[in-house]
Amino acid sequence: MSTAVVVGGGIAGLLSAHVLCQRGFSKVILLDADAPQPGEGPAGGVASMLEGAKHRGGIPQYSHPHALSMGGLEAMKALLPGFQEELVRRGGVELDVARDLRFFDFGAPYARGPSSLTIVAATRHLIHSALHDEVTGCNAGKLTVRGSCRVAGLLWSEDGNAVEGVRLSGSGEEVRAHVVVMAAGRQSRLPQWLEAAGHQAPDASKVDAQLTYTTGFFRMPKDWDNERWMGHVTFGRPHGLRGCGVFPAEDRTWQVFVYGVNGEQPPTEKKQLLEYVASLPDGEIFEALRHAELLSPLKKYGGAYNIQRSYDKASVAMPGGLLVLGDAVQALNPVYGQGMSVAAMSALALDSELATALAGAASPKQRRSAVQGLSRTFQKKLAAVIAPAWMMAAAEDIRYPATKVEGNGPAPPSRLMQACLDNVIRACHRKVENIELFFEIAHMVRPPSHILHPRLVAAALKEAVSSSLQQLWALLWGPSPAPAKKAE
Ligand SMILES: Cc1cc2nc3c(=O)[nH]c(=O)nc-3n(C[C@H](O)[C@H](O)[C@H](O)COP(=O)(O)OP(=O)(O)OC[C@H]3O[C@@H](n4cnc5c(N)ncnc54)[C@H](O)[C@@H]3O)c2cc1C
């Protein structure tokens, strides 16, 4: 008989609870400060999402646009077969990333065409409620979800080296468990709880591009032509500090985010917001939004910096029986759409670590001790799983001139690597095959080292030579009159 407590009912918490149930825990108790409605059921577009957000005060980003990357979708499907179909059944929109989405980056649009890259676009509410219902449905009898339960601290063994449960805020109720999984999101208080119990809090690295996000939901114009695009992202790179994205969601709506970094602040009035969008280096999104009806209040989100806490480092000496994952370990700049994927991939890592740890454990006592001893090995494994996302987001954000770095921060990419990456992006203007490889890296399906894939390196070299020739031409005869690149 073994009991697990999961703290937090977000993406990481729900999937961890599922893994624990499936890996043989006889009782899993998920404690969530929020009050999710039992069987939240199929989401029904923007109104349902705004209603759902009222019960999700612990996830302030709940009513902001959420794009689920391929790495996350794959991890969710591995844990919950049929999950992609379920998202679509509830109104999620299946997209071929290179054909249906238009990307404007480094001054030109990417090439477009059919590809092997599939995502499902939907509101966070749809993704979250589908996950909630699938996980609770699969694990009925083992999993108890307790809403409106805020955990106020940990219960410790007599020697203080192991965690034996949690204490609830308000009632002071003690919930005992053989393992506690902390998945309390960006605002997790685990570092303070560790310190209060005489343990070392983990080091934190912070990379803050001072992102400001304004978001809203629009109704797609009736005559919108999906062949034009179904979603669009415009990055101001390499020099601009503004950007914008549109993703489709259920019920023919668009979820729209507009961002600024390093002090640029997108406004929250529609007219001014559209002017801001019009100032981007590409006019497509402005043209589309000009004719679209706004369905929700325009909301601002600030403070979404990248932060990573090193629970894997030797100095932390993680107590037995305690695991931590999701945004509680690493929270990222949302512009890159990685957070839910990191959470799902972390739960998948928990699944494989549990499988290994429990493989040789026959008796309940052996199983309990195997799980208790998992803390350090899991956090180390997790660090490797989440490192690529950190590398991509933080290394991208330190390009901006006024980005602040605290703690160790990411090692800045070498000039050679940066130049290679920039030229890979330029190569995406030309060929869908380049996009396929590049996006598999960006969506965490391939490791970052594949940026050195021979096909990408060859494409990047071609871009480098072409741009050097253009510079030489400009030096000798003035700027070239015609753009060298074919756009789409
Ligand atoms: C503005 C914005 C936009 C984003 N857009 C995207 C996107 O497009 N794509 C993407 O992949 N990611 C996006 N993210 C990131 C994504 O939302 C997070 O990475 C993801 O939600 C992390 O999941 P989690 O389970 O770790 O934490 P959360 O989803 O934040 O869940 C934490 C849960 O823990 C509960 N909790 C907290 N403290 C306690 C406690 N003491 N006791 C009990 N319960 C507690 C909370 O109530 C909450 O339910 C975005 C983030 C922001 C800020």
Side-chain angles (χ1 to χ4, degrees), residues 213-265:
Y213 229 48
T214 295
T215 68
F217 288 76
F218 289 73
R219 189 182 309 289
M220 219 180 269
K222 272 202 178 67
D223 55 354
W224 182 256
D225 177 11
N226 279 341
E227 295 293 315
R228 184 166 166 180
W229 46 260
M230 293 175 74
H232 195 304
V233 181
T234 297
F235 289 112
R237 289 187 293 201
H239 305 299
L241 302 177
R242 299 175 169 195
C244 177
V246 176
F247 281 91
E250 51 272 27
D251 288 350
R252 289 186 58 80
T253 53
W254 278 332
Q255 24 181 358
V256 176
F257 66 90
V258 184
Y259 70 87
V261 292
N262 282 194
E264 286 287 334
Q265 302 235 357

Side-chain angles (χ1 to χ4, degrees), residues 7-13 31-34 56-59 61 64-69 124 128 149-152 183-188 193 213 301 304 325-328 332 334 337-341 343:
V7 182
I11 308 289
L31 301 167
D32 194 4
D34 289 345
R56 289 284 178 191
I59 309 179
Q61 72 270 31
H64 289 274
H66 271 70
L68 179 58
S69 298
R124 162 79 187 237
H128 201 126
C149 281
R150 177 168 293 281
V151 170
R186 215 176 238 272
Q187 310 304 332
S188 162
W193 295 347
Y213 229 48
Y301 195 105
L325 79 181
D327 272 18
L332 300 165
Q338 299 167 311
M340 293 190 296
S341 293

Side-chain angles (χ1 to χ4, degrees), residues 268-347:
T268 48
E269 296 300 323
K270 186 179 172 192
K271 185 169 171 290
Q272 286 83 347
L273 189 74
L274 287 182
E275 284 166 11
Y276 188 97
V277 173
S279 74
L280 294 172
D282 177 68
E284 272 289 317
I285 299 184
F286 171 71
E287 282 305 322
L289 292 187
R290 223 151 61 95
H291 305 294
E293 179 195 352
L294 180 62
L295 296 174
S296 70
L298 290 168
K299 290 180 71 174
K300 196 164 239 181
Y301 195 105
Y305 45 78
N306 304 288
I307 183 157
Q308 190 186 57
R309 296 189 168 84
S310 308
Y311 287 101
D312 58 306
K313 292 288 182 298
S315 56
V316 178
M318 277 293 277
L322 178 67
L323 307 171
V324 48
L325 79 181
D327 272 18
V329 177
Q330 173 176 287
L332 300 165
N333 175 342
V335 165
Y336 310 114
Q338 299 167 311
M340 293 190 296
S341 293
V342 168
M345 292 162 76
S346 303

Side-chain angles (χ1 to χ4, degrees), residues 4 65 81 142 154 163 172 279 286 337 476:
K142 277 187 173 181
L154 301 169
V163 167
S279 74
F286 171 71
L476 296 174

Side-chain angles (χ1 to χ4, degrees), residues 16 19-21 23-25 179 323 348-359 367 370-371 374 378:
S16 300
V19 163
L20 292 161
C21 290
R23 287 285 164 205
F25 278 78
V179 65
L323 307 171
L348 198 57
L350 175 63
D351 186 54
S352 86
E353 284 302 292
L354 270 176
T356 311
L358 295 175
R367 284 174 61 82
V371 171
L374 199 61
F378 172 68

